[in-house]
Amino acid sequence: MENQPVPATDVEVDFKALLGALRQRLPYLIVFVVLVAIGTYTLLAQLAPVYKSETTLLIQSGETSLTAPTQSANDAASAIDQQAITSQVQLIRSRDLALAVVRKLDLIHKPEFDPKANPSLITKLLQKVGLSKPDSTAVSEDRVLDAYYQKLTVYAVDNSRVIGIDFESTDPKLAADVANAVAAEYLTLQQAAKHDTTADAAQWLSDQIVDLRGKVQAAEAKVETYRSMHDLFDTSSGGTGTATTTLPQQQLSDLNAELTRTRAARADAEAKASQIRQALQSNNVPNVSDVLNSQLIQNLIGQEVALRAQIAQLNATLLPAHPKMRELNAQLVGLDDQIAGEARKILDSLEGEAKLAAAREDEIQNGLVGLKQTAATAGDDGVELRALEREAAADRDLLESYLGRYREALAREQGNDLPADARIISRASVANDPDFPKKTPMTLAATFAALILAIAFLLLRELASGRPMRGVTFAEALPQVPDAKPVDGHSRWADDHSVRRMMPKEPTLVPEMIDRVEESLKQITHQVVETGAKRILVTLAEGSDSDGRPLGAVALARALARTDARVVLVDFRGDGADAASMGEGPDLPGFADLFDGDASFAQVIFRDRKSRVHFIPAGRKPLGRDLLDDERLETVLSALTLTYDYVLLDASDEMIGVVGPACGAAMVVSEFGASDPRTVNAFDRIGDVSDAEIMLLVVDPPSPHSGERADMASGEAA
């Protein structure tokens, strides 16, 4: 039975022809590259070497807790931000600093910075006779500064407070000296700026202090004059202060305190008297401290206790009517009357104290009425006095603040040791190797670039000639293979080669490429083992099952089983071909029955008749897409993955999107070759849903015209 051709023509580049053209011109390429390398190295060797040295600065506050001015340590630390770092970079590149470095190192007389520093003999003679004028110092400095800035590089290190200073020179020692001199002059410039600022601040503070002293004296004199005129006095402990009050106010405060004490005394006396009175009415000894602390009452109570003890002792032998008992009881009654009498005396005393306190309270109340009227009139004078005191205190505080800051500024100015807001963390050293030119790296880079350009030129020239372009035809009709043996209508390949194919009734031919297919299966099996994938997806290229499909899944499962691995094949196609090939026959319970709950794992797992492979048929029910979208599908497949070393999923095109995402490897079975669009489409269908490594098994070359390429593809694992 012939396959219908699907012609598709295109034009492709013959890479073999391109490589052949390059191979022919290889001697010329080698000669060209060698000449470029020699020329580049020679040219670089003629250049004067340039050396680079680097000094790094750390921008930070140079003040410590002992040397920093008051309230400035935290401000200095917080003021160093990215804008401050950029400003310091510009300061290092300033003209004043550059001129200081130029003059310090005498760069004007170095030919590297000023070629006219050493004029020729003719120029000197012309200058002597007046025909030529020597350049002024300013003009020479301008030329030197231009060369200086070309060789100087100042940069801020990202995400840090570090500034790098690079300087280039043909003299390695001069490069290091200039870099270090720039850093030293920068620190000196900062110290000088701080010194000038401190001196200006000290002078300004001195002028302000002179004015403030006069203001403070005048304000304090005004306060004292006003206080004496209005009979006001200061109640603060330190002389003139803020706790100022008038005499009536002080008297009013004292009377209020006295009234409080009098009321407390009266209330205490009345409470004690009431308690004693209630105790006497109930014939009990008052439990009041004034009564209990009385020495006489304490003695009477002691006698009463002794008398009661004696009565209790005689009560055991004498009757109550006994004369002795009557005498003792009479004495006891007399003691109680004496205690009550003494308590009444104390009660009378307390009542007298209460009346006296009440009288004192009335007297104080009368005095408060008059003082309140007097204090009300004196309050206005106190308000005015407090306003004057606040003004004097404000001037005095400002004067004290200026005096403290002036002393600090004066000490810092006279000390002449103001720290700069930076420090050198790495000084420049004399470089041993030149920074430019790097002969070997630059020669290699130039040689490699020349080689790439030469190859590109040759390839473009060859492509422009049209020689490496050729036409290609895909998907030709499958030819009849000569000298092939006819077989029955149930299998296309013999069982001993582990590949079976369900076929229609008509006989067909067996190709003589089984050995190559077996070799491909070995390679694919080895690659699957190396990838470590547990689930393998097997599918067909479009059109490979037009007249019965090749059973690549069965062949791969048996090949994996020969590695002593536990393998299970799950049929998601539903055509019964896998089950028939493995020897169990049609109408078997399978995955659909297991998924639907009509069968268990033991009922749907069968053993291959030719290997140790287990397989699960599709089942007696159709596998609907809506059924397999259920999350239980992953649960069932995970259970199989935990049980077996490899789980092969023989899936149709519509099932690739369902089971493909969880697969670690995939195999495409194709009859059309590796470059055929149908094979490429099968690769794309898998790649759209999965990151699995995809391998190709070519079971039949498309035409005898591509015999060599088909033989290569049949052994290819992609």
Side-chain angles (χ1 to χ4, degrees):
M1 182 178 181
E2 293 187 358
N3 292 339
Q4 295 298 327
V6 184
T9 59
D10 199 354
V11 176
E12 68 176 18
V13 178
D14 190 350
F15 291 101
K16 186 176 181 181
L18 285 177
L19 293 176
L22 288 177
R23 193 181 303 112
Q24 292 177 357
R25 293 168 176 79
L26 184 60
Y28 300 100
L29 281 176
I30 295 175
V31 172
F32 174 73
V33 168
V34 171
L35 291 177
V36 169
I38 295 175
T40 302
Y41 191 86
T42 303
L43 178 62
L44 294 176
Q46 299 299 322
L47 298 177
V50 176
Y51 298 87
K52 179 187 289 186
S53 294
E54 180 184 39
T55 299
T56 54
L57 297 171
L58 176 62
I59 305 301
Q60 64 177 11
S61 176
E63 304 287 357
T64 64
S65 59
L66 300 177
T67 61
T70 306
Q71 298 179 352
S72 65
N74 295 333
D75 296 340
S78 61
I80 302 177
D81 53 10
Q82 193 60 41
Q83 289 76 14
I85 301 299
T86 304
S87 301
Q88 298 305 313
V89 170
Q90 297 303 318
L91 177 60
I92 295 174
R93 292 183 55 85
S94 64
R95 180 181 178 86
D96 292 341
L97 192 149
L99 282 174
V101 173
V102 168
R103 294 166 182 171
K104 179 179 180 180
L105 299 179
D106 195 20
L107 300 182
I108 295 179
H109 298 92
K110 295 186 181 298
E112 180 183 355
F113 293 87
D114 187 5
K116 297 182 180 180
N118 295 324
S120 62
L121 180 60
I122 297 177
T123 303
K124 291 180 179 180
L125 292 175
L126 292 176
Q127 291 176 356
K128 287 183 178 181
V129 298
L131 297 178
S132 177
K133 294 182 179 180
D135 292 336
S136 63
T137 304
V139 175
S140 300
E141 287 181 347
D142 289 340
R143 287 198 301 267
V144 172
L145 286 178
D146 291 339
Y148 168 87
Y149 281 117
Q150 291 178 1
K151 299 174 181 295
L152 177 68
T153 302
V154 183
Y155 61 92
V157 179
D158 294 338
N159 301 322
S160 69
R161 295 180 178 179
V162 176
I163 294 178
I165 303 174
D166 293 347
F167 197 83
E168 299 176 350
S169 175
T170 56
D171 184 358
K173 185 178 184 304
L174 181 61
D177 291 342
V178 173
N180 290 327
V182 170
E185 288 297 327
Y186 166 70
L187 297 180
T188 302
L189 188 64
Q190 273 205 341
Q191 291 175 342
K194 277 193 172 185
H195 185 273
D196 294 341
T197 302
T198 303
D200 294 341
Q203 183 61 42
W204 180 83
L205 288 171
S206 177
D207 297 339
Q208 294 296 320
I209 288 171
V210 173
D211 295 339
L212 279 175
R213 281 175 176 167
K215 291 181 180 180
V216 170
Q217 291 176 357
E220 290 181 349
K222 189 175 182 180
V223 169
E224 295 301 328
T225 301
Y226 190 87
R227 179 181 286 113
S228 61
M229 290 177 60
H230 295 83
D231 294 330
L232 302 175
F233 63 94
D234 185 11
T235 59
S236 64
S237 60
T240 302
T242 59
T244 302
T245 183
T246 62
L247 182 59
Q249 289 176 340
Q250 182 65 32
Q251 292 175 347
L252 184 62
S253 176
D254 295 341
L255 283 179
N256 279 326
E258 181 66 21
L259 178 61
T260 301
R261 290 193 297 270
T262 303
R263 285 177 176 175
R266 178 177 61 81
D268 183 61
E270 290 177 350
K272 291 179 180 180
S274 176
Q275 187 175 1
I276 294 173
R277 189 180 300 109
Q278 292 176 1
L280 291 175
Q281 290 175 357
S282 59
N283 296 323
N284 294 325
V285 178
N287 188 16
V288 179
S289 60
D290 292 342
V291 176
L292 297 178
N293 292 335
S294 174
Q295 187 66 34
L296 180 57
I297 293 178
Q298 289 179 359
N299 294 333
L300 292 175
I301 292 175
Q303 294 176 14
E304 182 182 8
V305 171
L307 187 58
R308 288 183 183 278
Q310 186 178 0
I311 292 173
Q313 183 179 5
L314 295 176
N315 194 31
T317 58
L318 299 177
L319 294 176
H322 192 276
K324 185 64 174 177
M325 293 294 293
R326 290 180 178 179
E327 180 183 358
L328 293 177
N329 287 328
Q331 293 179 6
L332 182 61
V333 172
L335 288 175
D336 290 338
D337 293 340
Q338 290 182 9
I339 292 174
E342 290 299 326
R344 289 189 186 93
K345 292 179 181 179
I346 295 174
L347 174 61
D348 295 338
S349 176
L350 291 174
E351 289 177 346
E353 290 180 0
K355 291 178 181 179
L356 181 61
R360 177 60 179 163
E361 183 178 349
D362 294 338
E363 182 182 355
I364 294 174
Q365 289 283 6
N366 296 329
L368 284 174
V369 174
L371 282 176
K372 286 180 180 179
Q373 296 176 355
T374 305
T377 58
D380 296 338
D381 297 336
V383 172
E384 182 66 22
L385 178 62
R386 286 192 294 272
L388 295 175
E389 288 177 340
R390 282 194 298 270
E391 293 180 2
D395 292 340
R396 185 170 53 255
D397 292 341
L398 184 59
L399 176 61
E400 292 176 355
S401 175
Y402 278 8
L403 282 173
R405 294 167 63 183
Y406 175 73
R407 294 189 188 98
E408 291 180 355
L410 195 62
R412 291 169 64 83
E413 180 186 4
Q414 294 176 352
N416 199 22
D417 56 351
L418 296 174
D421 290 335
R423 65 184 180 89
I424 300 175
I425 59 177
S426 176
R427 294 187 178 274
S429 59
V430 179
N432 295 323
D433 299 324
D435 183 69
F436 179 86
K438 302 287 187 181
K439 298 179 183 177
T440 302
M442 295 178 69
T443 300
L444 292 176
T447 303
F448 182 75
L451 176 62
I452 296 299
L453 291 175
I455 293 175
F457 173 76
L458 293 177
L459 291 177
L460 291 175
R461 180 180 178 184
E462 190 68 17
L463 289 173
S465 66
R467 287 189 293 271
M469 311 301 291
R470 58 186 178 86
V472 180
T473 302
F474 298 97
E476 297 181 357
L478 289 174
Q480 297 291 337
V481 181
D483 300 328
K485 299 180 295 183
V487 297
D488 59 23
H490 294 286
S491 64
R492 181 170 179 178
W493 295 340
D495 289 339
D496 55 354
H497 294 289
S498 301
V499 180
R500 294 175 56 84
R501 184 173 188 179
M502 298 305 296
M503 296 293 294
K505 298 282 187 176
E506 298 82 358
T508 184
L509 301 175
V510 178
E512 295 181 349
M513 293 187 59
I514 297 175
D515 292 339
R516 293 191 177 276
V517 173
E518 288 296 325
E519 183 64 27
S520 295
L521 280 175
K522 291 180 181 178
Q523 295 180 10
I524 292 174
T525 301
H526 179 70
Q527 194 164 348
V528 168
V529 173
E530 285 187 346
T531 59
K534 300 283 288 185
R535 296 187 197 176
I536 301 97
L537 175 68
V538 181
T539 187
L540 299 176
E542 181 182 357
S544 295
D545 55 352
S546 59
D547 58 348
R549 64 183 179 89
L551 304 183
V554 177
L556 179 59
R558 289 173 177 170
L560 289 172
R562 286 195 288 270
T563 64
D564 293 332
R566 294 173 297 174
V567 184
V568 63
L569 171 64
V570 183
D571 183 9
F572 282 113
R573 287 187 173 272
D575 56 3
D578 293 341
S581 173
M582 303 180 90
E584 291 294 338
D587 194 25
L588 297 175
F591 193 87
D593 304 281
L594 173 65
F595 196 80
D596 219 19
D598 297 336
S600 63
F601 276 104
Q603 293 173 329
V604 300
I605 297 177
F606 300 92
R607 174 73 178 269
D608 181 20
R609 62 185 177 86
K610 284 185 170 287
S611 68
R612 299 170 54 222
V613 177
H614 291 179
F615 70 94
I616 299 177
R620 295 174 179 142
K621 298 180 180 181
L623 293 171
R625 178 64 182 266
D626 55 346
L627 178 66
L628 294 180
D629 283 341
D630 197 307
E631 61 182 7
R632 291 180 299 155
L633 173 63
E634 179 60 28
T635 302
V636 175
L637 294 179
S638 297
L640 293 174
T641 304
L642 294 174
T643 306
Y644 294 91
D645 296 327
Y646 300 102
V647 179
L648 272 67
L649 307 177
D650 192 2
S652 57
D653 292 345
E654 60 271 12
M655 295 301 297
I656 291 176
V658 179
V659 299
C663 293
M667 183 179 78
V668 176
V669 182
S670 175
E671 297 178 318
F672 310 110
S675 61
D676 190 273
R678 286 164 286 189
T679 304
V680 175
N681 289 338
F683 271 70
D684 293 340
R685 287 196 300 272
I686 299 174
D688 290 340
V689 300
S690 174
D691 295 331
E693 183 174 356
I694 307 174
M695 294 157 281
L696 174 63
L697 176 64
V698 179
V699 297
D700 201 344
S703 70
H705 301 293
S706 57
E708 181 180 355
R709 296 178 63 190
D711 290 345
M712 294 173 61
S714 66
E716 177 182 3

